[in-house]
Amino acid sequence: SSSVSFSRSIADANSVSPHSMSADATAEAEAAKARGNKTFADGDFGAAEEHYTAALAALSPAFDGWHHGDSISGDGGVSLTGCDPALGLAEGSGDVNGNSQSDVAMLASQSLRATLLCNRSQARHQAGLWQVAVEDASEALELLSQLSGQASTEKMRIKALYRRALSQEALGNMVDALLDLNLALKKAPSNEGIVSAARRLSERVPRAATMPPRPAVAPWLPNLTYNSREVLRVAESDQFSGRIRGFMPNEANSVVKFPCGMGVSVYHGHGGLNAILPLGPPRLLPRVCELADSGKVVPVPGPKELGDEYFERPNMRPCNGLHAKYSKGGDLRWLCRYNDGQLDGLTLRFEPEGFLRYSECGVYRRGQLVEKWQNCLLPDGYLSLALADLVLPVKKALGLGLSPCEERLCFEERVDVDGVQPMSLTLCALGEAPEVPRVVSGQARRTGDRCRAQLEGELKPELRSRDFAPIGPGGVGEAVPTALGGTSLVVMSGVAPDEDLKIE
């Protein structure tokens, strides 16, 4: 039969079309659903399952008619907001996208059925019927995939993924469960229930099980593990000609700058990787400086644990661009951008398992936090570009393996680890000669300048760093980006931890 005319009312449609949705059936399904929600809240999961099943049975004739009937008219982008078929629609009405009343009613029925399946999946999971709970959640997801991307649809999709994951976990299908949780996390990154479950499963699932199969040709085999303490020895070896070893201002951690401009920082007294970052020109600092306004000679400050070595080796400032920072255990902790020595841009904090710690992520401008974390802040391809352009090339050049966090990120972002080429660390920029450390003067322009003024006088304007935000040790001895002005990141509000996972 042909589609119901746009100008017909719901009552007329019910009388002439076998595909029309019955308001009585919808009302009966809603009543059974309400009884199911009540018994579920009382802890009687068996009774809740029966009520949800009854609701689905009441809805089935109307749904089956729609499912096997004519195609949807219009562009299919139906908004279900405020559309209750049980209440009927005014004669001659449709939706804003040009869909007829019958189309709107059909999609509302489809949405209600998906909700009932999702709720029954939860009841069956609680009752220990895990296999049928997985089947219900899968059917709900299939129905939701046919609906347009409304907020209510996305919310229900998150619930279905989460509930299927929990039932898969109970059945022992850990990999499938973790994949569902990762999909849910992309939609609800701040939901504590999903984050906790994903974290729990990530500890139980071997990393090899979730990684894509290696290509048959030339797999990359690193020489060192990700938590190796031999990073400084390798970076300073003869295989990297033209390298320069030194320090960053007021830091005890050693840095090695390569001719290409990229460098690595290594934990003092430890030898493990601290950071991958671009470094500025090398400068030899004086031990003392004379203040221009008073003529007083004062010692240049430096880390006490280094002593004379701090002045015997060149000083190099971090340059603008993306910096990757690591814990002493070798785990990727931070991906952040610096501009003119200050945090400037997206700052991401990672857990060892590869998930974002959202309470410490955000956007900075000139060292100041301007926006707390929101999922929309992370552009598509941002992480894959950071991994493929910075982390992987440098680690491959050093022969340093990937941390569990980096492996998971590469898998989720579809980065071809074996296909990324090592960075040519010894290749100088076109037309540039290898760098030679320069000695800075021993005079400062102002009392407060100390040795910083002379350093700035030798730097290119684009690399100057008047208010360099230092990178100091965190609470567990790891590198932590410091924002100027004492600004700290706080957890993003507006997303209830577990409210979105309850039954509807």
Side-chain angles (χ1 to χ4, degrees):
S1 62
S2 61
S3 298
V4 179
S5 171
F6 181 81
S7 61
R8 291 176 182 170
S9 66
I10 285 294
D12 292 336
N14 284 336
S15 64
V16 300
S17 173
H19 307 303
S20 302
M21 183 171 184
S22 169
D24 292 339
T26 303
E28 183 181 348
E30 290 284 4
K33 172 190 168 188
R35 292 192 294 271
N37 289 354
K38 184 179 184 304
T39 52
F40 185 95
D42 294 338
D44 191 348
F45 306 120
E49 181 199 3
E50 292 177 1
H51 289 307
Y52 293 137
T53 301
L56 286 165
L59 203 60
S60 287
F63 177 81
D64 290 342
W66 287 118
H67 187 68
H68 298 294
D70 302 315
S71 60
I72 300 174
S73 61
D75 63 1
V78 180
S79 173
L80 301 178
T81 304
C83 296
D84 188 351
L87 301 178
L89 296 174
E91 183 171 353
S93 67
D95 76 338
V96 296
N97 294 315
N99 294 285
S100 68
Q101 298 168 345
S102 58
D103 297 336
V104 174
M106 184 274 289
L107 291 181
S109 173
Q110 196 171 10
S111 178
L112 177 57
R113 184 176 178 85
T115 300
L116 290 169
L117 285 166
C118 200
N119 286 0
R120 191 172 69 172
S121 174
Q122 178 78 336
R124 285 178 165 178
H125 173 80
Q126 295 292 347
L129 305 173
W130 301 313
Q131 184 57 50
V132 287
V134 169
E135 294 171 2
D136 276 353
S138 298
E139 186 176 349
L141 287 168
E142 183 179 355
L143 288 173
L144 292 169
S145 67
Q146 301 170 19
L147 300 175
S148 57
Q150 302 296 321
S152 58
T153 303
E154 289 303 312
K155 180 180 176 182
M156 186 56 61
R157 176 175 167 79
I158 294 167
K159 290 182 181 182
L161 286 168
Y162 178 66
R163 291 167 187 174
R164 187 170 71 175
L166 294 183
S167 296
Q168 292 280 26
E169 179 187 13
L171 291 169
N173 303 327
M174 302 302 176
V175 174
D176 291 336
L178 189 56
L179 291 175
D180 277 346
L181 289 172
N182 285 338
L183 290 174
L185 272 176
K186 290 182 180 297
K187 300 292 184 182
S190 300
N191 191 289
E192 293 180 4
I194 299 175
V195 171
S196 175
R199 213 174 267 160
R200 181 179 67 249
L201 261 70
S202 67
E203 296 174 354
R204 300 176 60 184
V205 177
R207 293 195 303 276
T210 60
M211 294 297 290
R214 294 281 188 180
V217 293
W220 175 51
L221 298 175
N223 299 322
L224 302 173
T225 59
Y226 72 95
N227 55 0
S228 172
R229 297 190 176 190
E230 301 294 319
V231 177
L232 181 60
R233 178 187 62 79
V234 172
E236 210 185 7
S237 64
D238 292 338
Q239 63 176 309
F240 302 112
S241 58
R243 68 197 178 280
I244 299 175
R245 176 180 172 181
F247 303 98
M248 290 191 292
N250 298 319
E251 280 214 15
N253 295 331
S254 295
V255 296
V256 177
K257 181 183 179 181
F258 303 102
C260 69
M262 192 59 64
V264 293
S265 172
V266 178
Y267 280 106
H268 175 69
H270 181 273
L273 181 64
N274 168 261
I276 299 173
L277 71 174
L279 293 170
R283 300 289 184 264
L284 290 172
L285 300 181
R287 297 174 188 271
V288 296
C289 66
E290 180 183 353
L291 302 181
D293 52 357
S294 65
K296 184 178 179 181
V297 176
V298 297
V300 172
K304 294 181 179 179
E305 59 267 45
L306 295 180
D308 293 340
E309 186 182 5
Y310 181 72
F311 302 98
E312 293 170 354
R313 292 187 180 275
N315 238 251
M316 293 167 278
R317 288 181 180 278
C319 286
N320 300 344
L322 187 65
H323 297 191
K325 305 180 186 300
Y326 295 80
S327 69
K328 280 192 173 180
D331 296 304
L332 177 64
R333 279 294 182 263
W334 297 91
L335 277 176
C336 44
R337 287 194 173 275
Y338 280 87
N339 184 31
D340 201 22
Q342 298 174 317
L343 286 169
D344 196 274
L346 190 59
T347 298
L348 302 177
R349 168 71 158 91
F350 296 93
E351 300 283 9
E353 301 90 350
F355 306 116
L356 286 171
R357 181 180 293 180
Y358 299 102
S359 61
E360 298 182 33
C361 299
V363 176
Y364 281 81
R365 288 290 180 267
R366 298 183 179 276
Q368 300 293 331
L369 176 66
V370 296
E371 193 166 4
K372 301 171 189 176
W373 174 257
Q374 299 179 54
N375 196 37
C376 62
L377 295 179
L378 187 61
D380 291 340
Y382 183 89
L383 286 176
S384 60
L385 190 64
L387 291 165
D389 284 4
L390 177 69
V391 174
L392 275 169
V394 174
K395 281 203 161 188
K396 278 195 168 187
L398 296 174
L400 191 61
L402 300 179
S403 67
C405 170
E406 291 163 332
E407 288 184 346
R408 185 169 295 281
L409 288 175
C410 286
F411 167 65
E412 292 181 349
E413 298 297 323
R414 303 180 184 274
V415 177
D416 182 8
V417 175
D418 296 316
V420 175
Q421 296 300 312
M423 185 176 291
S424 300
L425 298 178
T426 58
L427 186 63
C428 294
L430 186 63
E432 292 189 7
E435 291 183 298
V436 177
R438 299 182 182 180
V439 179
V440 300
S441 68
Q443 288 188 341
R445 294 191 294 269
R446 301 186 303 274
T447 303
D449 282 344
R450 298 292 178 96
C451 65
R452 184 157 297 188
Q454 317 88 310
L455 286 173
E456 289 183 347
E458 297 292 338
L459 292 177
K460 298 178 181 179
E462 64 270 18
L463 300 180
R464 289 183 183 177
S465 180
R466 223 183 95 206
D467 297 306
F468 171 63
I471 305 167
V476 292
E478 63 189 50
V480 176
T482 303
L484 299 180
T487 304
S488 60
L489 287 167
V490 297
V491 67
M492 172 189 169
S493 60
V495 180
D498 294 304
E499 287 295 322
D500 290 343
L501 300 180
K502 294 181 180 179
I503 61 172
E504 289 194 353

Coordinates of all heavy atoms in Angstrom, one line a residue, residues 431-480:
G431 N 70.1 24.2 4.7 CA 70.9 25.5 4.7 C 71.5 25.8 6.1 O 72.2 26.8 6.2
E432 N 71.2 25.0 7.1 CA 71.7 25.3 8.5 C 72.9 24.4 8.8 O 72.9 23.3 8.5 CB 70.7 25.2 9.5 CG 69.5 26.2 9.4 CD 68.6 26.1 10.6 OE1 68.9 25.4 11.6 OE2 67.6 26.8 10.6
A433 N 73.9 25.0 9.5 CA 75.1 24.3 9.9 C 74.8 23.7 11.3 O 73.9 24.2 12.0 CB 76.3 25.2 9.9
P434 N 75.6 22.7 11.7 CA 75.4 22.2 13.1 C 75.6 23.3 14.1 O 76.5 24.1 14.0 CB 76.5 21.1 13.2 CG 76.7 20.7 11.7 CD 76.5 21.9 10.9
E435 N 74.8 23.2 15.2 CA 74.9 24.3 16.2 C 76.1 24.1 17.1 O 76.6 23.0 17.3 CB 73.6 24.2 17.1 CG 72.4 24.6 16.4 CD 71.2 24.6 17.3 OE1 70.9 23.5 17.8 OE2 70.6 25.7 17.5
V436 N 76.6 25.3 17.5 CA 77.7 25.3 18.5 C 77.2 26.2 19.6 O 76.7 27.3 19.4 CB 79.0 26.0 17.9 CG1 80.1 26.1 18.9 CG2 79.4 25.1 16.7
P437 N 77.4 25.7 20.9 CA 76.9 26.5 22.0 C 77.6 27.9 22.1 O 78.8 28.0 21.9 CB 77.3 25.7 23.2 CG 77.4 24.3 22.7 CD 77.9 24.4 21.3
R438 N 76.9 28.9 22.4 CA 77.4 30.3 22.5 C 77.5 30.7 24.0 O 76.6 30.3 24.7 CB 76.6 31.3 21.7 CG 76.6 31.0 20.2 CD 75.7 32.1 19.5 NE 75.6 31.8 18.1 CZ 75.0 32.6 17.2 NH1 74.4 33.7 17.7 NH2 75.0 32.3 16.0
V439 N 78.5 31.4 24.3 CA 78.6 31.9 25.7 C 77.8 33.2 25.8 O 77.9 34.2 25.0 CB 80.1 32.2 26.0 CG1 80.2 32.7 27.5 CG2 80.9 30.9 25.9
V440 N 76.9 33.3 26.8 CA 76.2 34.5 27.0 C 76.9 35.5 27.9 O 77.9 35.1 28.6 CB 74.8 34.2 27.6 CG1 74.0 33.3 26.8 CG2 75.0 33.6 29.0
S441 N 76.5 36.7 27.9 CA 77.2 37.8 28.7 C 76.9 37.6 30.2 O 76.0 36.9 30.6 CB 76.8 39.2 28.2 OG 75.5 39.4 28.6
G442 N 77.7 38.3 31.0 CA 77.5 38.3 32.4 C 76.8 39.5 33.0 O 77.0 39.8 34.1
Q443 N 76.1 40.2 32.1 CA 75.4 41.5 32.6 C 73.9 41.3 32.4 O 73.5 40.7 31.4 CB 75.9 42.7 31.8 CG 77.3 43.1 32.2 CD 77.7 44.4 31.6 OE1 77.0 44.9 30.6 NE2 78.7 45.1 32.1
A444 N 73.2 41.8 33.3 CA 71.7 41.8 33.3 C 71.2 43.2 33.1 O 71.8 44.2 33.7 CB 71.1 41.1 34.5
R445 N 70.1 43.4 32.4 CA 69.6 44.8 32.2 C 68.9 45.3 33.4 O 68.9 46.5 33.7 CB 68.6 44.7 31.0 CG 69.3 44.4 29.7 CD 68.3 44.7 28.6 NE 67.1 43.8 28.6 CZ 67.1 42.6 28.0 NH1 68.2 42.2 27.3 NH2 66.0 41.9 28.0
R446 N 68.2 44.4 34.2 CA 67.5 44.9 35.4 C 67.8 44.0 36.6 O 68.3 42.9 36.4 CB 66.0 44.9 35.1 CG 65.6 45.7 34.0 CD 64.0 45.7 33.9 NE 63.5 44.4 33.8 CZ 63.3 43.7 32.6 NH1 63.7 44.3 31.5 NH2 62.8 42.6 32.6
T447 N 67.5 44.4 37.8 CA 67.8 43.7 39.0 C 67.1 42.3 38.9 O 67.7 41.3 39.3 CB 67.3 44.4 40.2 OG1 68.0 45.7 40.2 CG2 67.7 43.7 41.5
G448 N 65.9 42.3 38.4 CA 65.2 41.0 38.4 C 65.5 40.1 37.3 O 64.9 39.0 37.3
D449 N 66.3 40.5 36.4 CA 66.5 39.7 35.2 C 67.4 38.5 35.4 O 67.3 37.4 34.9 CB 67.1 40.5 34.1 CG 66.1 41.4 33.4 OD1 64.9 41.1 33.6 OD2 66.4 42.3 32.7
R450 N 68.4 38.7 36.3 CA 69.5 37.7 36.5 C 70.0 37.2 35.2 O 70.3 38.0 34.3 CB 68.9 36.5 37.3 CG 68.3 36.9 38.7 CD 69.5 37.2 39.6 NE 69.0 37.6 40.9 CZ 68.9 36.8 42.0 NH1 69.2 35.6 41.9 NH2 68.5 37.3 43.1
C451 N 70.1 35.9 35.0 CA 70.7 35.4 33.8 C 69.7 35.3 32.6 O 70.1 35.1 31.5 CB 71.4 34.0 34.0 SG 70.2 32.8 34.4
R452 N 68.4 35.5 32.9 CA 67.4 35.3 31.9 C 67.5 36.3 30.7 O 67.2 36.0 29.6 CB 66.0 35.3 32.5 CG 64.9 35.0 31.6 CD 63.7 34.5 32.3 NE 64.0 33.3 33.0 CZ 63.0 32.5 33.5 NH1 61.8 32.9 33.5 NH2 63.4 31.4 34.1
A453 N 67.9 37.5 31.1 CA 67.9 38.6 30.0 C 69.0 38.2 29.0 O 68.7 38.4 27.8 CB 68.2 39.9 30.7
Q454 N 70.1 37.8 29.4 CA 71.2 37.5 28.4 C 70.7 36.3 27.5 O 71.0 36.3 26.3 CB 72.5 37.1 29.0 CG 72.9 37.9 30.2 CD 72.3 37.3 31.5 OE1 71.2 37.1 31.6 NE2 73.1 37.2 32.5
L455 N 70.0 35.4 28.0 CA 69.5 34.3 27.2 C 68.6 34.8 26.1 O 68.7 34.4 25.0 CB 68.8 33.2 28.1 CG 69.7 32.3 28.9 CD1 68.8 31.5 29.8 CD2 70.6 31.5 28.1
E456 N 67.7 35.7 26.5 CA 66.7 36.2 25.6 C 67.4 37.0 24.5 O 66.9 37.1 23.4 CB 65.7 37.1 26.3 CG 64.7 36.3 27.2 CD 63.7 37.2 27.8 OE1 63.9 38.4 27.8 OE2 62.7 36.7 28.3
G457 N 68.5 37.7 24.8 CA 69.2 38.5 23.8 C 69.7 37.7 22.7 O 70.0 38.2 21.6
E458 N 70.0 36.4 22.9 CA 70.6 35.5 21.9 C 69.5 34.7 21.1 O 69.8 34.1 20.1 CB 71.6 34.6 22.6 CG 72.7 35.3 23.3 CD 73.7 35.9 22.3 OE1 73.6 35.5 21.1 OE2 74.4 36.8 22.7
L459 N 68.3 34.7 21.6 CA 67.3 33.9 21.0 C 66.6 34.6 19.9 O 66.5 35.8 19.9 CB 66.2 33.5 22.0 CG 66.7 32.5 23.1 CD1 65.5 32.2 24.1 CD2 67.1 31.2 22.6
K460 N 66.1 33.8 18.9 CA 65.3 34.4 17.9 C 64.0 34.9 18.5 O 63.5 34.4 19.5 CB 64.9 33.3 16.8 CG 66.2 32.8 16.1 CD 65.8 31.7 15.1 CE 67.0 31.1 14.4 NZ 66.7 30.1 13.5
P461 N 63.4 35.9 17.9 CA 62.1 36.5 18.5 C 61.0 35.5 18.7 O 60.4 35.5 19.7 CB 61.7 37.6 17.5 CG 63.0 37.9 16.8 CD 63.8 36.7 16.8
E462 N 60.9 34.5 17.8 CA 59.8 33.6 17.9 C 60.0 32.6 19.0 O 59.1 31.8 19.3 CB 59.5 32.9 16.5 CG 60.7 32.0 16.0 CD 61.7 32.8 15.2 OE1 61.6 34.1 15.3 OE2 62.4 32.2 14.4
L463 N 61.3 32.5 19.5 CA 61.6 31.5 20.5 C 61.8 32.1 21.9 O 62.1 31.4 22.8 CB 62.9 30.7 20.1 CG 62.8 29.9 18.8 CD1 64.1 29.2 18.5 CD2 61.7 28.9 18.8
R464 N 61.6 33.4 22.0 CA 61.7 34.0 23.3 C 60.7 33.6 24.2 O 59.5 33.3 23.8 CB 61.7 35.6 23.1 CG 62.9 36.1 22.4 CD 62.9 37.6 22.3 NE 64.0 38.1 21.6 CZ 64.2 39.4 21.3 NH1 63.3 40.3 21.7 NH2 65.3 39.8 20.7
S465 N 61.0 33.5 25.5 CA 60.2 33.0 26.5 C 60.2 33.8 27.8 O 60.9 33.5 28.7 CB 60.5 31.5 26.8 OG 59.7 31.0 27.7
R466 N 59.6 35.0 27.8 CA 59.7 35.9 28.9 C 59.2 35.3 30.2 O 59.7 35.6 31.2 CB 58.9 37.2 28.5 CG 59.7 38.4 28.9 CD 58.9 39.6 28.6 NE 58.2 40.1 29.8 CZ 57.1 40.8 29.9 NH1 56.5 41.1 28.8 NH2 56.6 41.1 31.0
D467 N 58.1 34.6 30.1 CA 57.5 34.0 31.3 C 57.4 32.5 31.2 O 56.4 31.9 31.2 CB 56.2 34.6 31.6 CG 56.2 36.1 31.8 OD1 57.0 36.5 32.7 OD2 55.5 36.8 31.1
F468 N 58.6 31.9 31.0 CA 58.6 30.4 30.8 C 57.9 29.7 32.0 O 58.2 29.9 33.1 CB 60.0 30.0 30.7 CG 60.1 28.5 30.6 CD1 59.5 27.7 29.6 CD2 60.8 27.8 31.6 CE1 59.6 26.4 29.6 CE2 61.0 26.4 31.6 CZ 60.4 25.7 30.6
A469 N 56.9 28.9 31.6 CA 56.3 28.1 32.7 C 57.0 26.8 32.9 O 57.1 26.0 32.0 CB 54.8 27.7 32.2
P470 N 57.7 26.7 34.1 CA 58.6 25.5 34.3 C 57.8 24.2 34.4 O 56.6 24.2 34.6 CB 59.2 25.9 35.6 CG 58.2 26.7 36.3 CD 57.6 27.5 35.2
I471 N 58.5 23.1 34.2 CA 57.9 21.8 34.3 C 58.5 21.2 35.5 O 59.7 20.8 35.5 CB 58.2 21.0 33.0 CG1 57.8 21.7 31.8 CG2 57.6 19.6 33.1 CD1 58.3 21.1 30.5
G472 N 57.8 21.1 36.6 CA 58.4 20.6 37.8 C 57.8 19.2 38.1 O 57.0 18.7 37.5
P473 N 58.4 18.6 39.2 CA 58.0 17.2 39.6 C 56.5 17.3 40.1 O 56.2 18.2 40.9 CB 59.0 16.8 40.6 CG 59.5 18.1 41.2 CD 59.4 19.1 40.1
G474 N 55.8 16.3 39.8 CA 54.4 16.2 40.3 C 54.4 15.4 41.6 O 55.4 15.1 42.2
G475 N 53.2 15.0 42.0 CA 53.0 14.3 43.3 C 53.7 13.0 43.3 O 54.0 12.5 44.4
V476 N 53.9 12.3 42.2 CA 54.5 11.0 42.2 C 55.8 11.1 41.4 O 56.2 10.1 40.8 CB 53.5 10.0 41.5 CG1 52.3 9.7 42.4 CG2 53.1 10.4 40.1
G477 N 56.4 12.2 41.3 CA 57.7 12.3 40.7 C 57.7 12.4 39.2 O 58.6 12.0 38.5
E478 N 56.5 12.8 38.6 CA 56.4 12.8 37.2 C 56.4 14.2 36.7 O 56.1 15.1 37.4 CB 55.2 12.0 36.7 CG 53.9 12.6 37.2 CD 52.7 11.7 36.9 OE1 52.8 10.6 37.3 OE2 51.7 12.3 36.4
A479 N 56.5 14.4 35.4 CA 56.5 15.7 34.8 C 55.1 16.2 34.8 O 54.2 15.6 34.3 CB 57.1 15.7 33.4
V480 N 54.9 17.5 35.2 CA 53.6 18.1 35.2 C 53.6 19.5 34.6 O 54.4 20.3 35.1 CB 53.0 18.2 36.7 CG1 51.7 18.9 36.7 CG2 52.9 16.8 37.3

